[in-house]
mmCIF file of all heavy atoms in Angstrom:
data_model
loop_
_atom_site.group_PDB
_atom_site.id
_atom_site.type_symbol
_atom_site.label_atom_id
_atom_site.label_comp_id
_atom_site.label_asym_id
_atom_site.label_seq_id
_atom_site.Cartn_x
_atom_site.Cartn_y
_atom_site.Cartn_z
ATOM 1 N N ARG A 1 19.213 -10.443 -214.980
ATOM 2 C CA ARG A 1 20.058 -9.262 -215.104
ATOM 3 C C ARG A 1 21.560 -9.748 -215.286
ATOM 4 O O ARG A 1 22.329 -9.200 -216.101
ATOM 5 C CB ARG A 1 20.035 -8.370 -213.857
ATOM 6 C CG ARG A 1 18.802 -7.481 -213.929
ATOM 7 C CD ARG A 1 18.907 -6.329 -212.829
ATOM 8 N NE ARG A 1 19.170 -6.830 -211.513
ATOM 9 C CZ ARG A 1 18.176 -7.194 -210.609
ATOM 10 N NH1 ARG A 1 16.985 -7.197 -210.986
ATOM 11 N NH2 ARG A 1 18.568 -7.644 -209.479
ATOM 12 N N ARG A 2 21.958 -10.810 -214.568
ATOM 13 C CA ARG A 2 23.359 -11.296 -214.781
ATOM 14 C C ARG A 2 23.503 -11.799 -216.239
ATOM 15 O O ARG A 2 24.591 -11.641 -216.884
ATOM 16 C CB ARG A 2 23.638 -12.403 -213.747
ATOM 17 C CG ARG A 2 24.021 -11.893 -212.410
ATOM 18 C CD ARG A 2 24.627 -12.968 -211.499
ATOM 19 N NE ARG A 2 23.794 -14.138 -211.394
ATOM 20 C CZ ARG A 2 22.719 -14.165 -210.451
ATOM 21 N NH1 ARG A 2 22.464 -13.195 -209.678
ATOM 22 N NH2 ARG A 2 22.024 -15.315 -210.335
ATOM 23 N N LEU A 3 22.442 -12.501 -216.755
ATOM 24 C CA LEU A 3 22.581 -13.009 -218.086
ATOM 25 C C LEU A 3 22.571 -11.859 -219.063
ATOM 26 O O LEU A 3 23.320 -11.901 -220.080
ATOM 27 C CB LEU A 3 21.454 -14.005 -218.368
ATOM 28 C CG LEU A 3 21.399 -15.226 -217.605
ATOM 29 C CD1 LEU A 3 20.122 -16.072 -217.848
ATOM 30 C CD2 LEU A 3 22.563 -16.189 -218.021
ATOM 31 N N GLN A 4 21.779 -10.816 -218.827
ATOM 32 C CA GLN A 4 21.738 -9.686 -219.773
ATOM 33 C C GLN A 4 23.062 -8.983 -219.817
ATOM 34 O O GLN A 4 23.375 -8.385 -220.785
ATOM 35 C CB GLN A 4 20.637 -8.696 -219.266
ATOM 36 C CG GLN A 4 19.226 -9.209 -219.632
ATOM 37 C CD GLN A 4 18.198 -8.378 -218.956
ATOM 38 O OE1 GLN A 4 18.362 -7.750 -217.969
ATOM 39 N NE2 GLN A 4 16.945 -8.407 -219.584
ATOM 40 N N ALA A 5 23.848 -9.069 -218.747
ATOM 41 C CA ALA A 5 25.170 -8.375 -218.737
ATOM 42 C C ALA A 5 26.302 -9.214 -219.392
ATOM 43 O O ALA A 5 27.350 -8.730 -219.634
ATOM 44 C CB ALA A 5 25.558 -8.096 -217.285
ATOM 45 N N ASP A 6 25.985 -10.449 -219.691
ATOM 46 C CA ASP A 6 26.938 -11.348 -220.353
ATOM 47 C C ASP A 6 27.131 -11.092 -221.825
ATOM 48 O O ASP A 6 26.193 -11.315 -222.571
ATOM 49 C CB ASP A 6 26.564 -12.809 -220.083
ATOM 50 C CG ASP A 6 27.596 -13.837 -220.501
ATOM 51 O OD1 ASP A 6 28.365 -13.507 -221.452
ATOM 52 O OD2 ASP A 6 27.689 -14.865 -219.841
ATOM 53 N N PRO A 7 28.276 -10.653 -222.267
ATOM 54 C CA PRO A 7 28.469 -10.301 -223.687
ATOM 55 C C PRO A 7 28.260 -11.508 -224.581
ATOM 56 O O PRO A 7 27.838 -11.330 -225.755
ATOM 57 C CB PRO A 7 29.924 -9.786 -223.748
ATOM 58 C CG PRO A 7 30.290 -9.528 -222.384
ATOM 59 C CD PRO A 7 29.498 -10.284 -221.428
ATOM 60 N N SER A 8 28.553 -12.737 -224.111
ATOM 61 C CA SER A 8 28.462 -13.831 -224.976
ATOM 62 C C SER A 8 26.978 -14.098 -225.290
ATOM 63 O O SER A 8 26.700 -14.802 -226.254
ATOM 64 C CB SER A 8 29.054 -15.114 -224.321
ATOM 65 O OG SER A 8 28.414 -15.472 -223.183
ATOM 66 N N LEU A 9 26.047 -13.528 -224.519
ATOM 67 C CA LEU A 9 24.655 -13.671 -224.822
ATOM 68 C C LEU A 9 24.195 -12.410 -225.619
ATOM 69 O O LEU A 9 23.463 -12.534 -226.625
ATOM 70 C CB LEU A 9 23.743 -13.823 -223.592
ATOM 71 C CG LEU A 9 23.951 -15.228 -222.813
ATOM 72 C CD1 LEU A 9 23.171 -15.226 -221.539
ATOM 73 C CD2 LEU A 9 23.473 -16.342 -223.736
ATOM 74 N N ARG A 10 24.588 -11.256 -225.101
ATOM 75 C CA ARG A 10 24.116 -9.963 -225.703
ATOM 76 C C ARG A 10 24.536 -9.830 -227.158
ATOM 77 O O ARG A 10 23.812 -9.178 -227.969
ATOM 78 C CB ARG A 10 24.648 -8.805 -224.917
ATOM 79 C CG ARG A 10 24.003 -8.580 -223.629
ATOM 80 C CD ARG A 10 24.353 -7.232 -223.017
ATOM 81 N NE ARG A 10 25.649 -6.733 -223.491
ATOM 82 C CZ ARG A 10 26.535 -6.193 -222.756
ATOM 83 N NH1 ARG A 10 26.333 -5.951 -221.471
ATOM 84 N NH2 ARG A 10 27.716 -5.771 -223.217
ATOM 85 N N PHE A 11 25.696 -10.315 -227.516
ATOM 86 C CA PHE A 11 26.298 -10.081 -228.822
ATOM 87 C C PHE A 11 26.152 -11.332 -229.803
ATOM 88 O O PHE A 11 26.813 -11.361 -230.772
ATOM 89 C CB PHE A 11 27.745 -9.627 -228.684
ATOM 90 C CG PHE A 11 27.879 -8.419 -227.839
ATOM 91 C CD1 PHE A 11 28.780 -8.273 -226.892
ATOM 92 C CD2 PHE A 11 27.051 -7.263 -228.166
ATOM 93 C CE1 PHE A 11 28.933 -7.184 -226.102
ATOM 94 C CE2 PHE A 11 27.254 -6.138 -227.366
ATOM 95 C CZ PHE A 11 28.199 -6.051 -226.359
ATOM 96 N N THR A 12 25.207 -12.189 -229.515
ATOM 97 C CA THR A 12 24.865 -13.244 -230.422
ATOM 98 C C THR A 12 23.420 -13.286 -230.729
ATOM 99 O O THR A 12 22.566 -12.842 -229.810
ATOM 100 C CB THR A 12 25.315 -14.676 -229.924
ATOM 101 O OG1 THR A 12 24.545 -14.996 -228.714
ATOM 102 C CG2 THR A 12 26.804 -14.654 -229.661
ATOM 103 N N GLU A 13 22.953 -13.633 -231.880
ATOM 104 C CA GLU A 13 21.544 -13.661 -232.182
ATOM 105 C C GLU A 13 20.795 -14.642 -231.268
ATOM 106 O O GLU A 13 19.717 -14.317 -230.713
ATOM 107 C CB GLU A 13 21.337 -14.021 -233.658
ATOM 108 C CG GLU A 13 19.892 -13.964 -234.137
ATOM 109 C CD GLU A 13 19.249 -12.555 -233.934
ATOM 110 O OE1 GLU A 13 19.893 -11.524 -234.059
ATOM 111 O OE2 GLU A 13 18.029 -12.467 -233.502
ATOM 112 N N VAL A 14 21.291 -15.814 -231.051
ATOM 113 C CA VAL A 14 20.688 -16.792 -230.168
ATOM 114 C C VAL A 14 20.553 -16.307 -228.755
ATOM 115 O O VAL A 14 19.513 -16.372 -228.116
ATOM 116 C CB VAL A 14 21.490 -18.148 -230.173
ATOM 117 C CG1 VAL A 14 20.971 -19.055 -229.085
ATOM 118 C CG2 VAL A 14 21.365 -18.803 -231.540
ATOM 119 N N GLY A 15 21.584 -15.623 -228.335
ATOM 120 C CA GLY A 15 21.626 -15.058 -226.985
ATOM 121 C C GLY A 15 20.587 -13.931 -226.822
ATOM 122 O O GLY A 15 19.852 -13.879 -225.841
ATOM 123 N N ARG A 16 20.511 -13.075 -227.786
ATOM 124 C CA ARG A 16 19.451 -12.016 -227.716
ATOM 125 C C ARG A 16 18.071 -12.472 -227.778
ATOM 126 O O ARG A 16 17.193 -12.118 -227.085
ATOM 127 C CB ARG A 16 19.746 -10.981 -228.895
ATOM 128 C CG ARG A 16 20.954 -10.126 -228.790
ATOM 129 C CD ARG A 16 21.002 -8.977 -229.771
ATOM 130 N NE ARG A 16 21.115 -9.497 -231.123
ATOM 131 C CZ ARG A 16 22.322 -9.726 -231.745
ATOM 132 N NH1 ARG A 16 23.380 -9.439 -231.124
ATOM 133 N NH2 ARG A 16 22.305 -10.187 -232.987
ATOM 134 N N LYS A 17 17.862 -13.530 -228.606
ATOM 135 C CA LYS A 17 16.517 -14.163 -228.630
ATOM 136 C C LYS A 17 16.227 -14.757 -227.230
ATOM 137 O O LYS A 17 15.069 -14.530 -226.757
ATOM 138 C CB LYS A 17 16.464 -15.212 -229.709
ATOM 139 C CG LYS A 17 15.103 -15.837 -229.987
ATOM 140 C CD LYS A 17 15.200 -16.776 -231.135
ATOM 141 C CE LYS A 17 13.891 -17.381 -231.468
ATOM 142 N NZ LYS A 17 13.841 -18.247 -232.614
ATOM 143 N N LEU A 18 17.154 -15.393 -226.697
ATOM 144 C CA LEU A 18 16.860 -15.974 -225.278
ATOM 145 C C LEU A 18 16.629 -14.899 -224.310
ATOM 146 O O LEU A 18 15.685 -14.926 -223.478
ATOM 147 C CB LEU A 18 18.030 -16.797 -224.812
ATOM 148 C CG LEU A 18 17.932 -17.384 -223.390
ATOM 149 C CD1 LEU A 18 16.803 -18.379 -223.264
ATOM 150 C CD2 LEU A 18 19.249 -17.942 -222.923
ATOM 151 N N LEU A 19 17.366 -13.776 -224.353
ATOM 152 C CA LEU A 19 17.226 -12.677 -223.384
ATOM 153 C C LEU A 19 15.852 -12.021 -223.603
ATOM 154 O O LEU A 19 15.233 -11.641 -222.542
ATOM 155 C CB LEU A 19 18.370 -11.715 -223.501
ATOM 156 C CG LEU A 19 19.718 -12.190 -223.021
ATOM 157 C CD1 LEU A 19 20.852 -11.168 -223.372
ATOM 158 C CD2 LEU A 19 19.700 -12.585 -221.591
ATOM 159 N N ARG A 20 15.371 -11.924 -224.790
ATOM 160 C CA ARG A 20 14.034 -11.367 -225.017
ATOM 161 C C ARG A 20 12.955 -12.294 -224.436
ATOM 162 O O ARG A 20 12.005 -11.818 -223.823
ATOM 163 C CB ARG A 20 13.725 -11.159 -226.557
ATOM 164 C CG ARG A 20 14.474 -9.921 -227.128
ATOM 165 C CD ARG A 20 13.932 -9.677 -228.511
ATOM 166 N NE ARG A 20 14.175 -10.731 -229.457
ATOM 167 C CZ ARG A 20 15.302 -10.903 -230.210
ATOM 168 N NH1 ARG A 20 16.311 -9.969 -230.044
ATOM 169 N NH2 ARG A 20 15.418 -11.872 -231.033
ATOM 170 N N THR A 21 13.178 -13.572 -224.526
ATOM 171 C CA THR A 21 12.197 -14.561 -223.949
ATOM 172 C C THR A 21 12.218 -14.531 -222.505
ATOM 173 O O THR A 21 11.163 -14.719 -221.823
ATOM 174 C CB THR A 21 12.618 -15.987 -224.446
ATOM 175 O OG1 THR A 21 12.612 -15.961 -225.849
ATOM 176 C CG2 THR A 21 11.558 -17.005 -224.003
ATOM 177 N N LEU A 22 13.390 -14.218 -221.898
ATOM 178 C CA LEU A 22 13.470 -14.201 -220.396
ATOM 179 C C LEU A 22 13.160 -12.814 -219.799
ATOM 180 O O LEU A 22 13.432 -12.654 -218.614
ATOM 181 C CB LEU A 22 14.907 -14.627 -220.002
ATOM 182 C CG LEU A 22 15.267 -16.039 -220.329
ATOM 183 C CD1 LEU A 22 16.743 -16.223 -219.984
ATOM 184 C CD2 LEU A 22 14.466 -17.034 -219.499
ATOM 185 N N ASP A 23 12.635 -11.938 -220.598
ATOM 186 C CA ASP A 23 12.402 -10.561 -220.147
ATOM 187 C C ASP A 23 11.688 -10.501 -218.803
ATOM 188 O O ASP A 23 10.643 -11.112 -218.644
ATOM 189 C CB ASP A 23 11.518 -9.894 -221.223
ATOM 190 C CG ASP A 23 11.216 -8.390 -220.873
ATOM 191 O OD1 ASP A 23 11.677 -7.924 -219.813
ATOM 192 O OD2 ASP A 23 10.495 -7.819 -221.667
ATOM 193 N N PRO A 24 12.403 -9.861 -217.786
ATOM 194 C CA PRO A 24 11.808 -9.907 -216.453
ATOM 195 C C PRO A 24 10.453 -9.016 -216.356
ATOM 196 O O PRO A 24 9.800 -9.237 -215.366
ATOM 197 C CB PRO A 24 12.875 -9.225 -215.572
ATOM 198 C CG PRO A 24 13.799 -8.518 -216.520
ATOM 199 C CD PRO A 24 13.640 -9.243 -217.879
ATOM 200 N N SER A 25 10.161 -8.273 -217.323
ATOM 201 C CA SER A 25 8.933 -7.478 -217.277
ATOM 202 C C SER A 25 7.671 -8.433 -217.731
ATOM 203 O O SER A 25 6.588 -8.012 -217.604
ATOM 204 C CB SER A 25 8.940 -6.291 -218.173
ATOM 205 O OG SER A 25 9.082 -6.668 -219.553
ATOM 206 N N ALA A 26 8.085 -9.637 -218.190
ATOM 207 C CA ALA A 26 6.869 -10.504 -218.564
ATOM 208 C C ALA A 26 6.197 -11.010 -217.310
ATOM 209 O O ALA A 26 6.654 -10.806 -216.172
ATOM 210 C CB ALA A 26 7.504 -11.675 -219.295
ATOM 211 N N THR A 27 5.093 -11.644 -217.486
ATOM 212 C CA THR A 27 4.307 -12.191 -216.335
ATOM 213 C C THR A 27 5.054 -13.056 -215.490
ATOM 214 O O THR A 27 5.796 -14.003 -215.965
ATOM 215 C CB THR A 27 3.030 -12.833 -216.930
ATOM 216 O OG1 THR A 27 2.384 -11.901 -217.751
ATOM 217 C CG2 THR A 27 2.149 -13.225 -215.774
ATOM 218 N N ARG A 28 4.929 -12.931 -214.212
ATOM 219 C CA ARG A 28 5.589 -13.840 -213.164
ATOM 220 C C ARG A 28 4.588 -14.977 -212.804
ATOM 221 O O ARG A 28 3.346 -14.768 -212.880
ATOM 222 C CB ARG A 28 6.049 -12.992 -212.002
ATOM 223 C CG ARG A 28 7.149 -12.146 -212.385
ATOM 224 C CD ARG A 28 7.719 -11.235 -211.199
ATOM 225 N NE ARG A 28 8.883 -10.550 -211.516
ATOM 226 C CZ ARG A 28 9.011 -9.551 -212.265
ATOM 227 N NH1 ARG A 28 7.926 -9.105 -212.909
ATOM 228 N NH2 ARG A 28 10.146 -8.946 -212.386
ATOM 229 N N PRO A 29 5.106 -16.071 -212.271
ATOM 230 C CA PRO A 29 4.224 -17.183 -211.902
ATOM 231 C C PRO A 29 3.054 -16.799 -210.966
ATOM 232 O O PRO A 29 1.935 -17.257 -211.104
ATOM 233 C CB PRO A 29 5.181 -18.114 -211.256
ATOM 234 C CG PRO A 29 6.480 -17.867 -211.847
ATOM 235 C CD PRO A 29 6.525 -16.367 -212.135
ATOM 236 N N HIS A 30 3.305 -15.907 -210.054
ATOM 237 C CA HIS A 30 2.178 -15.539 -209.170
ATOM 238 C C HIS A 30 1.039 -14.751 -209.826
ATOM 239 O O HIS A 30 -0.006 -14.666 -209.291
ATOM 240 C CB HIS A 30 2.650 -14.779 -207.909
ATOM 241 C CG HIS A 30 3.275 -13.433 -208.230
ATOM 242 N ND1 HIS A 30 4.635 -13.274 -208.628
ATOM 243 C CD2 HIS A 30 2.731 -12.194 -208.344
ATOM 244 C CE1 HIS A 30 4.859 -11.990 -208.794
ATOM 245 N NE2 HIS A 30 3.756 -11.346 -208.646
ATOM 246 N N ASP A 31 1.229 -14.344 -211.100
ATOM 247 C CA ASP A 31 0.220 -13.660 -211.828
ATOM 248 C C ASP A 31 -0.632 -14.566 -212.670
ATOM 249 O O ASP A 31 -1.647 -14.156 -213.218
ATOM 250 C CB ASP A 31 0.884 -12.627 -212.860
ATOM 251 C CG ASP A 31 1.671 -11.562 -212.106
ATOM 252 O OD1 ASP A 31 1.359 -11.202 -210.986
ATOM 253 O OD2 ASP A 31 2.559 -11.042 -212.733
ATOM 254 N N TRP A 32 -0.201 -15.866 -212.791
ATOM 255 C CA TRP A 32 -0.880 -16.752 -213.631
ATOM 256 C C TRP A 32 -2.385 -17.046 -213.315
ATOM 257 O O TRP A 32 -3.231 -17.023 -214.135
ATOM 258 C CB TRP A 32 -0.219 -18.138 -213.793
ATOM 259 C CG TRP A 32 1.098 -18.101 -214.401
ATOM 260 C CD1 TRP A 32 2.277 -18.579 -213.880
ATOM 261 C CD2 TRP A 32 1.513 -17.631 -215.718
ATOM 262 N NE1 TRP A 32 3.363 -18.397 -214.682
ATOM 263 C CE2 TRP A 32 2.889 -17.732 -215.835
ATOM 264 C CE3 TRP A 32 0.713 -16.960 -216.668
ATOM 265 C CZ2 TRP A 32 3.599 -17.409 -216.979
ATOM 266 C CZ3 TRP A 32 1.486 -16.554 -217.803
ATOM 267 C CH2 TRP A 32 2.889 -16.752 -217.963
ATOM 268 N N ALA A 33 -2.638 -17.187 -211.970
ATOM 269 C CA ALA A 33 -4.050 -17.471 -211.570
ATOM 270 C C ALA A 33 -4.950 -16.248 -211.931
ATOM 271 O O ALA A 33 -6.098 -16.536 -212.433
ATOM 272 C CB ALA A 33 -4.082 -17.783 -210.059
ATOM 273 N N ALA A 34 -4.483 -15.094 -211.617
ATOM 274 C CA ALA A 34 -5.269 -13.930 -211.914
ATOM 275 C C ALA A 34 -5.524 -13.810 -213.431
ATOM 276 O O ALA A 34 -6.658 -13.444 -213.922
ATOM 277 C CB ALA A 34 -4.612 -12.665 -211.391
ATOM 278 N N MET A 35 -4.486 -14.101 -214.162
ATOM 279 C CA MET A 35 -4.600 -14.043 -215.589
ATOM 280 C C MET A 35 -5.575 -15.100 -216.170
ATOM 281 O O MET A 35 -6.465 -14.765 -216.958
ATOM 282 C CB MET A 35 -3.174 -14.282 -216.347
ATOM 283 C CG MET A 35 -3.243 -14.166 -217.817
ATOM 284 S SD MET A 35 -1.717 -14.503 -218.579
ATOM 285 C CE MET A 35 -0.716 -13.034 -218.170
ATOM 286 N N ALA A 36 -5.522 -16.269 -215.603
ATOM 287 C CA ALA A 36 -6.351 -17.410 -216.047
ATOM 288 C C ALA A 36 -7.802 -17.047 -215.789
ATOM 289 O O ALA A 36 -8.672 -17.332 -216.583
ATOM 290 C CB ALA A 36 -5.949 -18.685 -215.339
ATOM 291 N N SER A 37 -8.121 -16.426 -214.642
ATOM 292 C CA SER A 37 -9.493 -16.075 -214.296
ATOM 293 C C SER A 37 -10.007 -14.896 -215.131
ATOM 294 O O SER A 37 -11.275 -14.765 -215.247
ATOM 295 C CB SER A 37 -9.649 -15.742 -212.861
ATOM 296 O OG SER A 37 -8.924 -14.636 -212.484
ATOM 297 N N SER A 38 -9.066 -14.148 -215.749
ATOM 298 C CA SER A 38 -9.594 -12.977 -216.501
ATOM 299 C C SER A 38 -9.691 -13.186 -217.982
ATOM 300 O O SER A 38 -10.226 -12.404 -218.742
ATOM 301 C CB SER A 38 -8.571 -11.802 -216.288
ATOM 302 O OG SER A 38 -8.492 -11.467 -214.922
ATOM 303 N N LEU A 39 -9.100 -14.305 -218.517
ATOM 304 C CA LEU A 39 -9.096 -14.620 -219.941
ATOM 305 C C LEU A 39 -10.506 -15.043 -220.356
ATOM 306 O O LEU A 39 -11.141 -15.742 -219.607
ATOM 307 C CB LEU A 39 -8.033 -15.600 -220.267
ATOM 308 C CG LEU A 39 -6.543 -15.121 -220.099
ATOM 309 C CD1 LEU A 39 -5.592 -16.332 -220.184
ATOM 310 C CD2 LEU A 39 -6.293 -14.005 -221.067
ATOM 311 N N PRO A 40 -10.852 -14.817 -221.629
ATOM 312 C CA PRO A 40 -12.182 -15.289 -222.143
ATOM 313 C C PRO A 40 -12.180 -16.821 -222.194
ATOM 314 O O PRO A 40 -11.102 -17.444 -222.621
ATOM 315 C CB PRO A 40 -12.256 -14.703 -223.514
ATOM 316 C CG PRO A 40 -11.135 -13.892 -223.805
ATOM 317 C CD PRO A 40 -10.154 -14.005 -222.607
ATOM 318 N N MET A 41 -13.240 -17.400 -221.738
ATOM 319 C CA MET A 41 -13.304 -18.860 -221.651
ATOM 320 C C MET A 41 -13.166 -19.544 -223.072
ATOM 321 O O MET A 41 -12.583 -20.631 -223.127
ATOM 322 C CB MET A 41 -14.690 -19.300 -221.020
ATOM 323 C CG MET A 41 -14.724 -20.769 -220.752
ATOM 324 S SD MET A 41 -13.313 -21.262 -219.768
ATOM 325 C CE MET A 41 -14.137 -21.582 -218.199
#
């Protein structure tokens, strides 16, 4: 959230790309085991 509020990231293409990659709605580390057991072998 602090990074998303930083204009030097929000208003540059590289910054926006990084912020999309860091999206907090993405899977969190504690979800990895459940995801791994649910994916097709």
Side-chain angles (χ1 to χ4, degrees):
R1 281 193 306 275
R2 282 193 303 277
L3 291 172
Q4 288 171 331
D6 188 327
S8 64
L9 291 174
R10 285 192 334 222
F11 300 130
T12 63
E13 185 58 37
V14 169
R16 285 189 296 271
K17 187 175 183 178
L18 176 68
L19 292 174
R20 283 191 299 273
T21 305
L22 295 173
D23 182 0
S25 65
T27 304
R28 290 180 171 72
H30 64 272
D31 297 333
W32 294 128
M35 183 183 289
S37 65
S38 300
L39 293 170
M41 189 52 110

